[in-house]
Amino acid sequence: MKLRLPHAPYIGNKIALDLSNCGFVSLLHGIEGISKVAQNFIEEDIKEEMKIEEKAREILEENLDEIEFMRADEHQLFWKIKHKLAENEGFILNWEDRYNHLAHKILDELYEEDLIEYSTSETRVKNVIFKAIDGYIKIYNEIEDVVNEKISNYKRKIVFGSEEYDLIFDRLYQEELKKKGFL
């Protein structure tokens, strides 16, 4: 699953909660600072990927005539261009490597900002952060299905993509996140 900007606060909260509950990390200034640091790094990572995708789209658009003439698959070309741009930028696309690297950056910042102390190996703490990100990604699709099912069972029809739909979706989504321990 590809992360989007609205996911960042939820993942930041999950990281902060998991660190506070792991038993070997001490929070020196509460969970808010931890959540904010994690959220900032996640947003930065998502925005970097968005920039790469935008550049890939621009390249595709600039060469659309050739692509149509060659009858090439635009989606496949997009991914090839994105991979090449990411490689040139030093941006990691493999999700496991990417989120492992992101977890390490978050941990380094939390320690440097004196927000946490830990009595175990750095790898063990980093793994808590990685598992929080990975756990959110895995549960997101499940929660989305539950929320969509609830909305589809409303007595009156809620139009997908409408402002009302988005408000209801967000409210139900947050309720499900609370049930799952993400908030």
Side-chain angles (χ1 to χ4, degrees), residues 11-153:
I11 299 170
N13 283 339
K14 177 68 172 153
I15 290 169
L17 290 171
D18 286 3
L19 287 172
S20 71
N21 293 326
C22 72
F24 48 83
V25 174
S26 300
L27 310 185
L28 303 177
H29 303 287
I31 65 171
E32 295 83 18
I34 294 169
S35 178
K36 191 65 177 164
V37 166
Q39 179 182 341
N40 289 342
F41 274 101
I42 293 163
E43 286 175 351
E44 180 182 302
D45 183 76
I46 293 168
K47 287 177 184 176
E48 183 65 28
E49 183 176 19
M50 290 168 62
K51 286 180 194 175
I52 291 169
E53 287 178 346
E54 184 58 36
K55 286 180 188 176
R57 278 190 213 91
E58 288 172 6
I59 291 170
L60 273 179
E61 287 176 17
E62 290 170 2
N63 297 288
L64 201 53
D65 290 339
E66 286 182 55
I67 293 168
E68 288 176 2
F69 178 75
M70 303 286 269
R71 295 183 184 190
D73 182 347
E74 286 183 46
H75 294 292
Q76 189 176 27
L77 284 174
F78 173 82
W79 287 109
K80 286 183 178 186
I81 293 167
K82 180 180 176 179
H83 282 275
K84 187 63 177 173
L85 290 171
E87 183 181 311
N88 292 344
E89 297 283 327
F91 185 82
I92 303 167
L93 287 177
N94 174 283
W95 73 268
E96 189 171 349
D97 293 340
R98 179 178 175 182
Y99 299 134
N100 188 42
H101 179 71
L102 186 58
H104 199 83
K105 286 171 51 176
I106 292 169
L107 174 59
D108 287 347
E109 184 70 15
L110 293 175
Y111 189 76
E112 286 177 27
E113 293 295 320
D114 205 29
L115 295 171
I116 62 169
E117 283 183 347
Y118 45 91
S119 58
T120 188
S121 73
E122 184 176 289
T123 302
R124 192 168 176 205
V125 179
K126 181 189 59 71
N127 285 342
V128 171
I129 297 170
F130 175 85
K131 287 178 182 177
I133 297 168
D134 189 49
Y136 176 86
I137 291 168
K138 288 178 179 172
I139 204 76
Y140 172 76
N141 291 328
E142 179 184 319
I143 292 174
E144 187 177 45
D145 291 342
V146 168
V147 170
N148 285 327
E149 179 68 25
K150 286 181 177 182
I151 292 173
S152 71
N153 290 329

